[in-house]
Amino acid sequence: MSYSKRTPMLVLIDMIMVWASIYLTFLSHYRGGIPPEVMSVIMMYTLISGVALACAMFYFQLYNRIWQYASVGEMVAIAKAVVVSCLISYAIISFLSAGEITLYMFLQNLNGILLMLGGSRFIWRVFCDKFYGSSSRSSKKRAGKPAQRTLVVGAGSCGVMFVKEVAHNESFHMQPVAFIDDDPYKQKLQLHGIPVMGTRHDIPKLVEQQKIDDIIIALPSVSKTQISDIINICKTTKARLKIIPHIHEFIQGKMAANQMRDVQVEDLLGRDPIDTDLENIADYVQNKIVLVTGAGGSIGSELCRQVAPFKPRKLLLLGHGENSIYGIEMEMRRLHPGLQIETVIADVQDRTRIADVFREFGPQVVFHAAAHKHVPLMERNPSEAIKNNVFGSRNVAECADEFGAERFVLISTDKAVNPTSIMGTTKRIAEMFIQSLDKHSKTKFVAVRFGNVLGSRGSVIPRFKDQIARGGPVTVTHPEMVRYFMTIPEAVQLVIQAGAFAQGGEVFILDMGKPVKIVDLATDLIRLSGYEPNVDIDIQFSGIREGEKLYEELLTSEEGMSSTMHDRIFIGKPMNINRTELEFEMRRLERVLGSEPEEIRALLQHLVPTYRNVS
């Protein structure tokens, strides 16, 4: 029913209840026989009370409420409206009728109106819970989708809201049967008729006992470390797992089914949000011309997203692929319409083009994310890896020096440490080059080194997800292979933060947490997709690929490590690199491009003695 039709009907019903309450008050006072001369007072009192109540109800916006979802707040508002309206009407009628209505009659009438208005709405709420809820459940069964038995982790406000919404929303095909909560005071109590049946440690037992199909984690305010612990417990069961990530996703106490999401591998890392020194970042980015190379890639595009809120004077998006650059440009223009954005299609290997870009725009801060990063692919194409990762980086770095950029941040990798691949070796040479350049430049050159980022293009997670979607098998190279992982946003946030600490020549190392076994990652991803590893979907070992090693390192033996003001960022001490010798070796490297791979690898090993060819 529309608001314009519904409101007059509610006002009329309230008027009838006011009249009934007043009439019953007088009937009680005169013991069933109301004198005729008092009827005029009753009519006047009814009219005044009705108008006063309607005004109060509109003032407290009680005709705008959806009573199907009424709670204590609505009852308090009704009490306020009734008390205010009764006081006003009593004052007016007492003045006009010279004491026909006693204080006792006033209180009796107030109680009657309060009971009728509050009681009628309470009865409607109970009716909706009883009949709309049951019709919703029956409709689920009629649709051929029986309600899934659900365990709710978290008996707080979020969990209660979820249970209430499930009862009314047909899009949920769930039947909450129990709460789990670590609060000892909530144990064996009930919320909305659903018992709290234990703590997180009881989850596996309860899933078996109660035949649970789904587990909902409704703890949006709990730390990520605790969420990770709970997920690790839940993934030992066969129940499907979903999470409600943010309390603000509840709007006016209601929630849509699609606001829950599947638990992701990122949730298993268990790291809390990064504490960013916004003031230091703003100092070197705000009102500056910022260049991001490789801006269409996973890291480059996230750099653009996180730099933009710091209000650079201009953001330059440089990349080789027009489609990816167009995509990030459209996103930036939509999210930051007031930001000056320039898109540049250029190849970092083209020194003349890169110089023209620096000459035209004069970038003051450079984030160099353009690189070839796929390890096995670069093993088969070593010359292209060298052109892009070594000489492309040299071109951008030398232009930053020549045209007076203030700061240059190279995005590096843990694969540059004691490298076993062409890709890692080329990134190590790029690190060495900017460290040598820093000694003679006014530009602050730094590198930021980190491991694998979850979900980046060509990384293991998208490949595993694709294999799971096709029914398996999921292929893992080796049962003992481990890698460091972090999410793209947290890696980029730390990169930008590290740039604020730059004094020149440092290699910053990001704290990646504990290394993760790739086979464990595959197992978790299969379970989180609702399957049983090696039952529904097989895990097969394919053997270590060319250029790969079982584990990655974050520091060379010579670099050591010192801390910074940020607990997630460390510094490898600058290496003593002779620029003249390095440039001589790089010219030799340039001459062997296109030669036999073994000749290229031999020269790389001479340039980076820690490089071990394992292919």
PDB file of all heavy atoms in Angstrom, residues 385-410:
ATOM      1  N   ALA A 385      63.006 -10.083 -21.333  1.00  0.00           N
ATOM      2  CA  ALA A 385      63.056  -9.754 -19.912  1.00  0.00           C
ATOM      3  C   ALA A 385      64.111  -8.693 -19.638  1.00  0.00           C
ATOM      4  O   ALA A 385      63.885  -7.747 -18.875  1.00  0.00           O
ATOM      5  CB  ALA A 385      63.340 -11.012 -19.086  1.00  0.00           C
ATOM      6  N   ILE A 386      65.267  -8.843 -20.276  1.00  0.00           N
ATOM      7  CA  ILE A 386      66.360  -7.878 -20.080  1.00  0.00           C
ATOM      8  C   ILE A 386      65.997  -6.521 -20.658  1.00  0.00           C
ATOM      9  O   ILE A 386      66.212  -5.478 -20.029  1.00  0.00           O
ATOM     10  CB  ILE A 386      67.666  -8.421 -20.709  1.00  0.00           C
ATOM     11  CG1 ILE A 386      68.133  -9.659 -19.938  1.00  0.00           C
ATOM     12  CG2 ILE A 386      68.750  -7.357 -20.713  1.00  0.00           C
ATOM     13  CD1 ILE A 386      69.194 -10.472 -20.647  1.00  0.00           C
ATOM     14  N   LYS A 387      65.419  -6.510 -21.858  1.00  0.00           N
ATOM     15  CA  LYS A 387      65.036  -5.227 -22.483  1.00  0.00           C
ATOM     16  C   LYS A 387      64.081  -4.440 -21.588  1.00  0.00           C
ATOM     17  O   LYS A 387      64.239  -3.239 -21.394  1.00  0.00           O
ATOM     18  CB  LYS A 387      64.358  -5.491 -23.833  1.00  0.00           C
ATOM     19  CG  LYS A 387      65.267  -5.917 -24.953  1.00  0.00           C
ATOM     20  CD  LYS A 387      64.418  -6.095 -26.208  1.00  0.00           C
ATOM     21  CE  LYS A 387      65.128  -6.891 -27.277  1.00  0.00           C
ATOM     22  NZ  LYS A 387      64.232  -7.149 -28.440  1.00  0.00           N
ATOM     23  N   ASN A 388      63.087  -5.138 -21.058  1.00  0.00           N
ATOM     24  CA  ASN A 388      62.037  -4.439 -20.308  1.00  0.00           C
ATOM     25  C   ASN A 388      62.455  -4.144 -18.865  1.00  0.00           C
ATOM     26  O   ASN A 388      62.355  -3.013 -18.395  1.00  0.00           O
ATOM     27  CB  ASN A 388      60.757  -5.281 -20.306  1.00  0.00           C
ATOM     28  CG  ASN A 388      59.509  -4.441 -20.124  1.00  0.00           C
ATOM     29  OD1 ASN A 388      59.272  -3.495 -20.863  1.00  0.00           O
ATOM     30  ND2 ASN A 388      58.711  -4.782 -19.129  1.00  0.00           N
ATOM     31  N   ASN A 389      62.940  -5.183 -18.177  1.00  0.00           N
ATOM     32  CA  ASN A 389      63.195  -5.032 -16.747  1.00  0.00           C
ATOM     33  C   ASN A 389      64.507  -4.321 -16.437  1.00  0.00           C
ATOM     34  O   ASN A 389      64.606  -3.650 -15.405  1.00  0.00           O
ATOM     35  CB  ASN A 389      63.195  -6.405 -16.061  1.00  0.00           C
ATOM     36  CG  ASN A 389      61.845  -7.088 -16.142  1.00  0.00           C
ATOM     37  OD1 ASN A 389      60.880  -6.524 -16.641  1.00  0.00           O
ATOM     38  ND2 ASN A 389      61.765  -8.312 -15.649  1.00  0.00           N
ATOM     39  N   VAL A 390      65.499  -4.485 -17.318  1.00  0.00           N
ATOM     40  CA  VAL A 390      66.795  -3.834 -17.068  1.00  0.00           C
ATOM     41  C   VAL A 390      66.867  -2.502 -17.798  1.00  0.00           C
ATOM     42  O   VAL A 390      66.962  -1.435 -17.180  1.00  0.00           O
ATOM     43  CB  VAL A 390      67.971  -4.747 -17.493  1.00  0.00           C
ATOM     44  CG1 VAL A 390      69.296  -4.006 -17.322  1.00  0.00           C
ATOM     45  CG2 VAL A 390      67.972  -6.030 -16.673  1.00  0.00           C
ATOM     46  N   PHE A 391      66.772  -2.558 -19.122  1.00  0.00           N
ATOM     47  CA  PHE A 391      66.988  -1.322 -19.878  1.00  0.00           C
ATOM     48  C   PHE A 391      65.767  -0.397 -19.835  1.00  0.00           C
ATOM     49  O   PHE A 391      65.912   0.828 -19.889  1.00  0.00           O
ATOM     50  CB  PHE A 391      67.396  -1.662 -21.313  1.00  0.00           C
ATOM     51  CG  PHE A 391      68.696  -2.419 -21.369  1.00  0.00           C
ATOM     52  CD1 PHE A 391      68.762  -3.696 -21.887  1.00  0.00           C
ATOM     53  CD2 PHE A 391      69.854  -1.848 -20.859  1.00  0.00           C
ATOM     54  CE1 PHE A 391      69.955  -4.398 -21.912  1.00  0.00           C
ATOM     55  CE2 PHE A 391      71.056  -2.546 -20.882  1.00  0.00           C
ATOM     56  CZ  PHE A 391      71.113  -3.821 -21.404  1.00  0.00           C
ATOM     57  N   GLY A 392      64.579  -0.968 -19.713  1.00  0.00           N
ATOM     58  CA  GLY A 392      63.407  -0.120 -19.508  1.00  0.00           C
ATOM     59  C   GLY A 392      63.494   0.632 -18.198  1.00  0.00           C
ATOM     60  O   GLY A 392      63.215   1.827 -18.122  1.00  0.00           O
ATOM     61  N   SER A 393      63.917  -0.077 -17.141  1.00  0.00           N
ATOM     62  CA  SER A 393      64.090   0.573 -15.835  1.00  0.00           C
ATOM     63  C   SER A 393      65.197   1.615 -15.901  1.00  0.00           C
ATOM     64  O   SER A 393      65.071   2.704 -15.307  1.00  0.00           O
ATOM     65  CB  SER A 393      64.426  -0.478 -14.765  1.00  0.00           C
ATOM     66  OG  SER A 393      63.360  -1.400 -14.629  1.00  0.00           O
ATOM     67  N   ARG A 394      66.283   1.299 -16.609  1.00  0.00           N
ATOM     68  CA  ARG A 394      67.373   2.271 -16.758  1.00  0.00           C
ATOM     69  C   ARG A 394      66.880   3.542 -17.440  1.00  0.00           C
ATOM     70  O   ARG A 394      67.197   4.670 -17.010  1.00  0.00           O
ATOM     71  CB  ARG A 394      68.526   1.660 -17.554  1.00  0.00           C
ATOM     72  CG  ARG A 394      69.711   2.593 -17.736  1.00  0.00           C
ATOM     73  CD  ARG A 394      70.762   2.028 -18.665  1.00  0.00           C
ATOM     74  NE  ARG A 394      70.269   1.929 -20.041  1.00  0.00           N
ATOM     75  CZ  ARG A 394      70.993   1.478 -21.069  1.00  0.00           C
ATOM     76  NH1 ARG A 394      72.234   1.041 -20.842  1.00  0.00           N
ATOM     77  NH2 ARG A 394      70.500   1.419 -22.276  1.00  0.00           N
ATOM     78  N   ASN A 395      66.058   3.388 -18.502  1.00  0.00           N
ATOM     79  CA  ASN A 395      65.558   4.555 -19.227  1.00  0.00           C
ATOM     80  C   ASN A 395      64.732   5.471 -18.321  1.00  0.00           C
ATOM     81  O   ASN A 395      64.924   6.694 -18.311  1.00  0.00           O
ATOM     82  CB  ASN A 395      64.694   4.109 -20.412  1.00  0.00           C
ATOM     83  CG  ASN A 395      65.498   3.439 -21.502  1.00  0.00           C
ATOM     84  OD1 ASN A 395      66.725   3.601 -21.582  1.00  0.00           O
ATOM     85  ND2 ASN A 395      64.835   2.661 -22.335  1.00  0.00           N
ATOM     86  N   VAL A 396      63.828   4.876 -17.571  1.00  0.00           N
ATOM     87  CA  VAL A 396      62.960   5.687 -16.704  1.00  0.00           C
ATOM     88  C   VAL A 396      63.775   6.324 -15.582  1.00  0.00           C
ATOM     89  O   VAL A 396      63.590   7.500 -15.247  1.00  0.00           O
ATOM     90  CB  VAL A 396      61.812   4.831 -16.120  1.00  0.00           C
ATOM     91  CG1 VAL A 396      60.911   5.675 -15.217  1.00  0.00           C
ATOM     92  CG2 VAL A 396      60.973   4.211 -17.239  1.00  0.00           C
ATOM     93  N   ALA A 397      64.710   5.559 -14.991  1.00  0.00           N
ATOM     94  CA  ALA A 397      65.521   6.080 -13.887  1.00  0.00           C
ATOM     95  C   ALA A 397      66.426   7.217 -14.348  1.00  0.00           C
ATOM     96  O   ALA A 397      66.551   8.250 -13.665  1.00  0.00           O
ATOM     97  CB  ALA A 397      66.350   4.945 -13.273  1.00  0.00           C
ATOM     98  N   GLU A 398      67.078   7.052 -15.504  1.00  0.00           N
ATOM     99  CA  GLU A 398      67.980   8.101 -15.993  1.00  0.00           C
ATOM    100  C   GLU A 398      67.208   9.363 -16.362  1.00  0.00           C
ATOM    101  O   GLU A 398      67.694  10.482 -16.151  1.00  0.00           O
ATOM    102  CB  GLU A 398      68.791   7.585 -17.184  1.00  0.00           C
ATOM    103  CG  GLU A 398      69.886   6.611 -16.771  1.00  0.00           C
ATOM    104  CD  GLU A 398      70.757   6.158 -17.932  1.00  0.00           C
ATOM    105  OE1 GLU A 398      70.316   6.269 -19.101  1.00  0.00           O
ATOM    106  OE2 GLU A 398      71.881   5.679 -17.661  1.00  0.00           O
ATOM    107  N   CYS A 399      65.999   9.196 -16.892  1.00  0.00           N
ATOM    108  CA  CYS A 399      65.175  10.369 -17.203  1.00  0.00           C
ATOM    109  C   CYS A 399      64.729  11.069 -15.919  1.00  0.00           C
ATOM    110  O   CYS A 399      64.662  12.311 -15.865  1.00  0.00           O
ATOM    111  CB  CYS A 399      63.964   9.968 -18.039  1.00  0.00           C
ATOM    112  SG  CYS A 399      64.358   9.588 -19.760  1.00  0.00           S
ATOM    113  N   ALA A 400      64.435  10.291 -14.877  1.00  0.00           N
ATOM    114  CA  ALA A 400      64.079  10.896 -13.581  1.00  0.00           C
ATOM    115  C   ALA A 400      65.242  11.721 -13.062  1.00  0.00           C
ATOM    116  O   ALA A 400      65.050  12.830 -12.521  1.00  0.00           O
ATOM    117  CB  ALA A 400      63.702   9.796 -12.586  1.00  0.00           C
ATOM    118  N   ASP A 401      66.478  11.216 -13.231  1.00  0.00           N
ATOM    119  CA  ASP A 401      67.674  11.946 -12.802  1.00  0.00           C
ATOM    120  C   ASP A 401      67.886  13.182 -13.667  1.00  0.00           C
ATOM    121  O   ASP A 401      68.093  14.293 -13.168  1.00  0.00           O
ATOM    122  CB  ASP A 401      68.877  11.009 -12.892  1.00  0.00           C
ATOM    123  CG  ASP A 401      70.201  11.727 -12.665  1.00  0.00           C
ATOM    124  OD1 ASP A 401      70.291  12.489 -11.686  1.00  0.00           O
ATOM    125  OD2 ASP A 401      71.126  11.531 -13.474  1.00  0.00           O
ATOM    126  N   GLU A 402      67.801  12.997 -14.964  1.00  0.00           N
ATOM    127  CA  GLU A 402      68.081  14.096 -15.913  1.00  0.00           C
ATOM    128  C   GLU A 402      67.098  15.250 -15.763  1.00  0.00           C
ATOM    129  O   GLU A 402      67.484  16.429 -15.826  1.00  0.00           O
ATOM    130  CB  GLU A 402      68.036  13.553 -17.338  1.00  0.00           C
ATOM    131  CG  GLU A 402      68.330  14.606 -18.411  1.00  0.00           C
ATOM    132  CD  GLU A 402      68.222  14.034 -19.822  1.00  0.00           C
ATOM    133  OE1 GLU A 402      68.176  12.780 -19.957  1.00  0.00           O
ATOM    134  OE2 GLU A 402      68.162  14.832 -20.780  1.00  0.00           O
ATOM    135  N   PHE A 403      65.809  14.929 -15.547  1.00  0.00           N
ATOM    136  CA  PHE A 403      64.787  15.977 -15.510  1.00  0.00           C
ATOM    137  C   PHE A 403      64.387  16.369 -14.077  1.00  0.00           C
ATOM    138  O   PHE A 403      63.375  17.034 -13.874  1.00  0.00           O
ATOM    139  CB  PHE A 403      63.562  15.534 -16.309  1.00  0.00           C
ATOM    140  CG  PHE A 403      63.829  15.437 -17.790  1.00  0.00           C
ATOM    141  CD1 PHE A 403      64.190  14.222 -18.371  1.00  0.00           C
ATOM    142  CD2 PHE A 403      63.766  16.558 -18.602  1.00  0.00           C
ATOM    143  CE1 PHE A 403      64.453  14.116 -19.725  1.00  0.00           C
ATOM    144  CE2 PHE A 403      64.030  16.472 -19.968  1.00  0.00           C
ATOM    145  CZ  PHE A 403      64.372  15.249 -20.541  1.00  0.00           C
ATOM    146  N   GLY A 404      65.190  15.949 -13.105  1.00  0.00           N
ATOM    147  CA  GLY A 404      65.056  16.471 -11.754  1.00  0.00           C
ATOM    148  C   GLY A 404      63.865  15.988 -10.950  1.00  0.00           C
ATOM    149  O   GLY A 404      63.318  16.760 -10.140  1.00  0.00           O
ATOM    150  N   ALA A 405      63.471  14.736 -11.131  1.00  0.00           N
ATOM    151  CA  ALA A 405      62.401  14.198 -10.283  1.00  0.00           C
ATOM    152  C   ALA A 405      62.896  14.150  -8.836  1.00  0.00           C
ATOM    153  O   ALA A 405      64.088  13.981  -8.574  1.00  0.00           O
ATOM    154  CB  ALA A 405      62.004  12.806 -10.748  1.00  0.00           C
ATOM    155  N   GLU A 406      61.987  14.316  -7.905  1.00  0.00           N
ATOM    156  CA  GLU A 406      62.366  14.328  -6.488  1.00  0.00           C
ATOM    157  C   GLU A 406      62.581  12.908  -5.948  1.00  0.00           C
ATOM    158  O   GLU A 406      63.456  12.684  -5.114  1.00  0.00           O
ATOM    159  CB  GLU A 406      61.277  15.023  -5.659  1.00  0.00           C
ATOM    160  CG  GLU A 406      61.086  16.490  -6.016  1.00  0.00           C
ATOM    161  CD  GLU A 406      59.885  17.094  -5.313  1.00  0.00           C
ATOM    162  OE1 GLU A 406      59.301  16.413  -4.429  1.00  0.00           O
ATOM    163  OE2 GLU A 406      59.525  18.237  -5.639  1.00  0.00           O
ATOM    164  N   ARG A 407      61.752  11.975  -6.431  1.00  0.00           N
ATOM    165  CA  ARG A 407      61.745  10.648  -5.826  1.00  0.00           C
ATOM    166  C   ARG A 407      61.416   9.601  -6.890  1.00  0.00           C
ATOM    167  O   ARG A 407      60.534   9.819  -7.714  1.00  0.00           O
ATOM    168  CB  ARG A 407      60.688  10.606  -4.723  1.00  0.00           C
ATOM    169  CG  ARG A 407      60.986   9.687  -3.579  1.00  0.00           C
ATOM    170  CD  ARG A 407      60.002   9.943  -2.433  1.00  0.00           C
ATOM    171  NE  ARG A 407      60.087  11.286  -1.901  1.00  0.00           N
ATOM    172  CZ  ARG A 407      60.262  11.599  -0.631  1.00  0.00           C
ATOM    173  NH1 ARG A 407      60.390  10.630   0.246  1.00  0.00           N
ATOM    174  NH2 ARG A 407      60.313  12.846  -0.233  1.00  0.00           N
ATOM    175  N   PHE A 408      62.124   8.476  -6.834  1.00  0.00           N
ATOM    176  CA  PHE A 408      61.906   7.376  -7.771  1.00  0.00           C
ATOM    177  C   PHE A 408      61.790   6.094  -6.949  1.00  0.00           C
ATOM    178  O   PHE A 408      62.711   5.735  -6.204  1.00  0.00           O
ATOM    179  CB  PHE A 408      63.075   7.273  -8.761  1.00  0.00           C
ATOM    180  CG  PHE A 408      62.961   6.164  -9.755  1.00  0.00           C
ATOM    181  CD1 PHE A 408      62.536   6.416 -11.054  1.00  0.00           C
ATOM    182  CD2 PHE A 408      63.298   4.855  -9.420  1.00  0.00           C
ATOM    183  CE1 PHE A 408      62.446   5.379 -11.997  1.00  0.00           C
ATOM    184  CE2 PHE A 408      63.202   3.821 -10.339  1.00  0.00           C
ATOM    185  CZ  PHE A 408      62.772   4.097 -11.631  1.00  0.00           C
ATOM    186  N   VAL A 409      60.657   5.404  -7.093  1.00  0.00           N
ATOM    187  CA  VAL A 409      60.415   4.171  -6.338  1.00  0.00           C
ATOM    188  C   VAL A 409      60.287   3.014  -7.334  1.00  0.00           C
ATOM    189  O   VAL A 409      59.372   2.995  -8.158  1.00  0.00           O
ATOM    190  CB  VAL A 409      59.140   4.278  -5.481  1.00  0.00           C
ATOM    191  CG1 VAL A 409      58.931   2.977  -4.706  1.00  0.00           C
ATOM    192  CG2 VAL A 409      59.215   5.462  -4.527  1.00  0.00           C
ATOM    193  N   LEU A 410      61.219   2.067  -7.242  1.00  0.00           N
ATOM    194  CA  LEU A 410      61.210   0.883  -8.103  1.00  0.00           C
ATOM    195  C   LEU A 410      60.440  -0.236  -7.401  1.00  0.00           C
ATOM    196  O   LEU A 410      60.732  -0.579  -6.259  1.00  0.00           O
ATOM    197  CB  LEU A 410      62.635   0.429  -8.389  1.00  0.00           C
ATOM    198  CG  LEU A 410      62.794  -0.945  -9.063  1.00  0.00           C
ATOM    199  CD1 LEU A 410      62.344  -0.885 -10.516  1.00  0.00           C
ATOM    200  CD2 LEU A 410      64.239  -1.441  -8.959  1.00  0.00           C
TER     201      LEU A 410
END
